[in-house]
Amino acid sequence: MTTDATAPNFASMPRAEFGSPGPLRDQLVASILNGCKTSTTGLLVDYEHEGESLPEVGSRSVVIDSEDRPIVVIEITGVRVVPLAQVDLAHVVDEGEGDTSVAEWRAGHERLWHSKEMRDGLEDPEFAVDDTTLAVLERFRLITDLRLADSSLTYRSPRRQ
């Protein structure tokens, strides 16, 4: 991991937001910083609705905190698209949220995916996931710690958790 806060051209990298601003995002960013969080999950339907390409192995992005400050640079090391029924325990544990079973992980994520915020974002008040819903499973590694960088940049990007 690089600790040089003047990482080349980090200001032009895409921004990554984990969870919504507040306690959840703060927890997720802390888990990235301490090495517990090395995976994340999105829904394919969310990418399609936003017209966004799927993440690519080798791409880098800047993780921002609840105050839109750049905190770390991460690099995607793996991407899989699988039905929710095929999410494995290794991915769940590597999300760094303390889940010890796929069922526990899924229940927590379904609360998010069935929330008013998610349904509003997808413009589908009836949206619900099931075993066949396609999930985008990303693995990443921390590249650069930017906490010493001075930046007033703010950005928006897809919701991840």
Side-chain angles (χ1 to χ4, degrees), residues 9 39 78 80 89 91 93 98 101 104 111 132 149-150 156 161:
N9 210 17
S39 71
R80 295 184 296 149
L89 184 58
H91 179 81
V93 170
S101 71
E104 181 182 15
R111 281 191 294 278
T132 64
D150 181 19
R156 297 288 305 162
Q161 184 174 26

Side-chain angles (χ1 to χ4, degrees), residues 14-138:
R15 279 14 189 192
E17 295 181 22
F18 289 82
S20 298
L24 175 60
R25 180 173 297 167
D26 296 340
Q27 172 195 342
L28 297 172
V29 170
S31 292
I32 292 169
L33 287 167
N34 70 23
C36 290
K37 183 170 183 62
T38 58
S39 71
T40 192
T41 306
L43 295 179
L44 184 61
V45 68
D46 202 14
Y47 284 91
E48 291 171 344
H49 183 267
E50 297 296 324
E52 294 182 12
S53 300
L54 292 180
E56 295 182 14
V57 172
S59 64
R60 293 181 176 187
S61 57
V62 176
V63 176
I64 62 171
D65 67 9
S66 291
E67 297 179 20
D68 290 329
R69 293 179 301 209
I71 301 299
V72 297
V73 174
I74 58 172
E75 179 180 74
I76 304 298
T77 61
V79 178
R80 295 184 296 149
V81 178
V82 302
L84 279 175
Q86 293 180 16
V87 173
D88 57 88
L89 184 58
H91 179 81
V92 166
V93 170
D94 290 345
E95 279 208 3
E97 296 180 44
D99 295 320
T100 58
S101 71
V102 174
E104 181 182 15
W105 169 88
R106 180 133 167 207
H109 281 67
E110 283 190 17
R111 281 191 294 278
L112 168 71
W113 294 329
H114 294 159
S115 69
K116 181 177 180 346
E117 178 184 49
M118 182 73 171
R119 289 174 173 165
D120 287 351
L122 292 174
E123 301 174 48
D124 181 355
E126 303 299 317
F127 177 76
V129 300
D130 61 28
D131 284 350
T132 64
T133 302
L134 294 177
V136 179
L137 309 183
E138 294 178 59

